[in-house]
């Protein structure tokens, strides 16, 4: 049974969707003002692994990830570039989706954008006000944390600790009754995009976006909410306060938080020159496959030390994996199945699920796959792998990769190629026959056809051999 570490209870707990069928998962998505850095991407890969594994366990997955396309940073960026907010955020939204695809991250069920949900945000704010949990000052609407007894239950923060100081990324800490109160709606400033509201023109606060877009598509109670650890406070604490103050129901059953990564032992920063986007690494010649692998080498609740040396190791590990997958369908194997191989694959299958059930232990799951490959290589050398075992093995690799997402292309390619080989062999035989029959026009035609497919023929004393261009 799958167990997940729940930040809310600080324990690992058995997980099942509340309705037994559909896992409702919400993840804080990108603020589209820049390229995601590899720290962001690590969190997105965690979301991906989680959702893939929920599907592996047989549940339907409704995964929603928001796109924050209005906040201080996006507004500032648009102003600097002298373009409209939507034009500015559109380009970075596209880069974000490109990065997800490059890293073989499966698309979420929905990607709602904040600016498409302004009306719903106003409705939720009105509900919070009606329920006595907020107040308005000069066109700004605040959440009154003293009205919400459970405030601090996720992060462990005591509301009394919030008496001023630097605790929030919001810039408008004025006119509030309590220093811990946070903004739900911000009054418009000159030159900033704004929307009409019952409190005058303005725009939503950042926290309200996530409460609205999660509950809009997943209902008042989510099975799982994910994000990076730095979002626990204030963002997630505030999401809980807003949502539960409005609905009176539990907002989230499981909070799953991913740890940060550091680079070469240090905090990633532009000034240290150790700040990487996916594009930076691709430009250096690293493969998406190795980058994804490197991001999976630490358990998600552990800090990951991302290093270029580690990335090189991932490249080599992926090469070994690719060579194995490529070679597997072409091995001349005896017919039947071997007891030893069958048992070894079964063992791997059950170990894989066991480690993944244990709070998504991906490094453990990678270990299971690589150990198996090592042992299978030994069996191949000893002539102990048979053609039926190969089918079972491939089956397991496909299943494991539905979670890991590391060898999807390689597995598909390897499957296609032997079929292609057969086709090529048939054409070469037909060409030989045509030449024996003196039908040189047909023989040339076949050669041209193969050349067009990137296949080079060489006629030797031993017959025709072929290779890929
Ligand atoms: Zn969020």
């Amino acid at each position: 049974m799958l167990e997940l570490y729940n930040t809310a209870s600080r324990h690992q707990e058995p997980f099942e969707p509340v309705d037994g069928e559909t896992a409702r998962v919400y993840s804080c998505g990108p603020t589209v003002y820049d390229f995601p850095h590899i720290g962001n991407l690590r969190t997105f890969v965690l979301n991906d692994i989680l959702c893939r594994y929920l599907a592996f366990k047989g549940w339907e997955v409704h995964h929603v990830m928001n796109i924050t396309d209005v906040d201080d940073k996006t507004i500032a960026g648009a102003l600097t570039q002298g373009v409209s907010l939507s034009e500015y955020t559109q380009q970075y939204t596209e880069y974000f989706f490109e990065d997800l695809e490059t890293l073989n991250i499966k698309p979420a069920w929905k990607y709602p954008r904040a600016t498409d949900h302004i009306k719903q945000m106003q409705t939720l704010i009105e509900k919070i006000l009606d329920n006595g949990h907020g107040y308005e000052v000069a066109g700004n609407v605040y959440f009154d944390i003293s009205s919400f007894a459970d405030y601090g239950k996720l992060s462990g923060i005591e509301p009394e600790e919030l008496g001023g100081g630097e605790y929030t990324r919001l810039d408008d800490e004025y006119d509030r009754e309590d220093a811990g109160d946070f903004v739900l709606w911000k009054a418009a400033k000159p030159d900033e995009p704004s929307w009409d509201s019952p409190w005058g023109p303005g725009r939503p606060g950042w926290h309200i976006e996530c409460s609205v877009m999660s509950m809009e598509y997943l209902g008042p109670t989510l099975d799982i909410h994910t994000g990076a650890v730095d979002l626990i406070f204030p963002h997630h604490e505030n999401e809980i306060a807003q949502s539960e103050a409005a609905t009176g129901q539990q907002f989230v059953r499981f909070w799953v938080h991913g740890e940060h990564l550091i680079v070469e032992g240090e905090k990633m920063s532009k000034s240290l020159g150790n700040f990487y986007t996916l594009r930076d690494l691709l430009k250096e010649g690293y493969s998406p496959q190795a980058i994804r692998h490197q991001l999976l080498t630490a358990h998600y609740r552990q800090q990951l030390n991302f290093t270029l040396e580690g990335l090189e190791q991932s490249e080599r590990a992926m090469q070994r994996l690719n060579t194995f997958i490529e070679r597997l369908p072409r091995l001349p194997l005896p017919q039947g199945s071997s007891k030893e191989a069958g048992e070894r694959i079964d063992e791997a299958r059950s170990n894989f699920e066991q480690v993944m059930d244990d709070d998504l232990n991906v490094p453990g799951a990678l270990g299971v796959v690589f150990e198996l490959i090592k042992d299978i290589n030994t069996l191949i050398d000893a002539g102990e792998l048979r053609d039926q075992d190969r089918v079972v093995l491939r089956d397991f690799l496909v299943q494991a990769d539905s979670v890991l997402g590391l060898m999807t292309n390689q597995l598909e390619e390897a499957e296609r190629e032997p079929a292609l080989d057969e086709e090529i062999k048939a054409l070469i035989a037909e060409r030989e026959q045509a030449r024996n029959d003196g039908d040189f026009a047909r023989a040339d035609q076949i050669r041209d056809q193969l050349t067009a497919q990137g296949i080079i023929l060489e006629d030797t004393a031993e017959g025709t051999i072929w290779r890929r261009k």
Side-chain angles (χ1 to χ4, degrees):
M1 176 162 218
L2 172 60
E3 293 191 348
L4 294 171
Y5 181 86
N6 188 350
T7 308
S9 69
R10 288 159 184 80
H11 283 106
Q12 197 164 306
E13 300 172 32
F15 172 81
E16 253 186 318
V18 75
D19 71 357
E21 281 173 22
T22 304
R24 294 173 170 79
V25 184
Y26 182 81
S27 303
C28 291
T31 301
V32 282
Y33 73 102
D34 203 348
F35 295 103
H37 57 66
I38 50 170
N40 303 136
L41 293 168
R42 184 185 185 203
T43 310
F44 299 142
V45 169
L46 159 65
N47 298 333
D48 185 42
I49 291 281
L50 170 67
C51 291
R52 283 166 174 266
Y53 195 60
L54 294 169
F56 178 99
K57 297 297 279 184
W59 293 306
E60 186 79 15
V61 182
H62 285 179
H63 181 214
V64 175
M65 182 187 272
N66 68 304
I67 306 283
T68 297
D69 59 355
V70 54
D71 80 327
D72 296 338
K73 289 177 189 166
T74 47
I75 290 170
L79 281 175
T80 310
Q81 280 193 13
V83 297
S84 73
L85 180 64
S86 64
E87 212 177 318
Y88 180 78
T89 56
Q90 182 56 31
Q91 55 181 336
Y92 286 106
T93 305
E94 280 164 22
Y95 296 142
F96 164 71
F97 285 128
E98 279 172 28
D99 283 1
L100 295 193
E101 202 183 334
T102 304
L103 284 177
N104 198 22
I105 290 173
K106 282 202 170 167
W109 180 55
K110 287 187 193 302
Y111 290 105
R113 290 168 202 229
T115 53
D116 292 335
H117 297 76
I118 303 287
K119 265 270 157 293
Q120 292 93 319
M121 292 177 204
Q122 295 179 358
T123 305
L124 197 77
I125 294 169
E126 282 183 306
K127 219 164 182 182
I128 292 169
L129 290 173
D130 288 348
N131 292 353
H133 292 287
Y135 56 91
E136 188 227 323
V137 183
N140 294 295
V141 183
Y142 295 103
F143 188 94
D144 172 11
I145 63 166
S146 70
S147 74
F148 188 72
D150 276 347
Y151 194 82
K153 68 176 172 181
L154 178 69
S155 59
I157 290 261
E158 297 289 339
E160 301 79 58
E161 292 169 22
L162 300 176
E166 294 283 319
Y167 68 94
T168 166
R169 75 178 205 173
L170 301 172
D171 61 357
D172 55 346
E173 302 181 28
Y174 48 81
D175 288 342
R176 284 178 295 173
E177 290 171 5
D178 183 305
D181 291 351
F182 58 91
V183 74
L184 300 169
W185 185 265
K186 307 170 96 162
K189 289 181 191 158
D191 295 334
E192 284 190 359
S194 65
W195 289 262
D196 286 334
S197 84
W199 317 285
R203 61 183 168 95
W206 172 44
H207 312 301
I208 199 77
E209 296 183 7
C210 282
S211 284
V212 164
M213 288 185 275
S214 56
M215 295 197 290
E216 171 86 3
Y217 298 100
L218 300 171
T221 301
L222 322 178
D223 285 311
I224 303 175
H225 191 315
T226 77
V229 282
D230 60 336
L231 296 185
I232 295 173
F233 186 84
H235 186 50
H236 291 160
E237 195 68 66
N238 292 352
E239 279 187 41
I240 295 174
Q242 297 164 152
S243 307
E244 298 189 354
T247 68
Q249 297 179 55
Q250 183 186 17
F251 175 47
V252 172
R253 297 175 55 230
F254 282 74
W255 284 96
V256 171
H257 288 107
E259 253 300 338
H260 284 152
L261 63 70
I262 51 175
V263 176
E264 310 284 351
E266 291 187 276
K267 194 171 160 27
M268 181 164 62
S269 80
K270 283 184 174 162
S271 60
L272 282 175
N274 66 355
F275 185 96
Y276 295 113
T277 66
L278 181 59
R279 281 143 216 271
D280 295 334
L281 295 170
L282 295 174
K283 232 179 277 164
E284 297 288 324
Y286 295 105
S287 70
Q289 195 190 12
I291 297 166
R292 182 176 170 103
H293 177 262
Q294 184 55 211
L295 292 174
L296 293 175
T297 51
H299 186 271
Y300 79 89
R301 291 203 297 120
Q302 305 285 325
Q303 223 173 43
L304 168 68
N305 184 19
F306 190 95
T307 65
L308 292 183
E309 199 195 317
L311 199 47
E312 300 284 351
Q313 281 167 12
S314 287
E315 289 287 358
R316 288 194 290 274
M318 291 301 96
Q319 263 164 28
R320 284 201 303 279
L321 184 67
N322 295 346
T323 308
F324 180 84
I325 292 169
E326 217 171 277
R327 182 170 159 242
L328 189 64
R330 295 154 189 278
L331 289 170
L333 296 178
Q335 286 188 341
S337 57
S338 99
K339 186 160 171 286
E340 214 183 333
E343 283 175 0
R344 185 62 189 84
I345 298 164
D346 280 350
E347 186 196 6
R349 199 188 295 278
S350 98
N351 287 347
F352 182 86
E353 189 159 358
Q354 201 184 326
V355 295
M356 285 302 294
D357 274 352
D358 183 14
D359 195 25
L360 310 175
N361 180 359
V362 176
L366 288 169
V368 169
V369 171
F370 278 90
E371 279 297 308
L372 175 68
I373 288 174
K374 202 177 95 196
D375 291 349
I376 292 291
N377 274 325
T378 310
L379 290 173
I380 292 170
D381 294 343
E384 289 291 336
L385 191 80
R386 296 175 173 251
D387 63 354
Q388 290 304 311
D389 305 325
R390 166 163 55 197
V391 176
V392 179
L393 174 61
R394 185 179 188 277
D395 226 51
F396 166 68
L397 292 177
V398 168
Q399 209 189 1
D401 202 55
S402 72
V403 178
L404 299 173
L406 280 175
M407 40 189 163
T408 317
N409 294 339
Q410 287 72 15
L411 284 163
E412 281 170 10
E413 192 80 359
E415 193 67 354
R416 255 198 314 274
E417 296 245 316
L420 193 63
D421 290 2
E422 291 310 310
E423 208 176 294
I424 293 163
K425 276 186 216 152
L427 281 168
I428 291 172
E430 190 189 339
R431 174 169 169 268
E432 213 120 289
Q433 190 58 48
R435 292 209 304 180
N436 290 340
D437 296 347
D439 184 354
F440 296 106
R442 175 64 190 147
D444 288 347
Q445 199 184 12
I446 291 170
R447 176 191 280 271
D448 292 346
Q449 183 189 333
L450 287 169
T451 308
Q453 289 178 23
I455 307 297
I456 315 266
L457 298 184
E458 269 174 60
D459 295 314
T460 70
E462 285 78 37
T464 306
I465 54 169
W466 64 272
R467 60 183 166 85
R468 282 177 215 288
K469 210 184 298 180

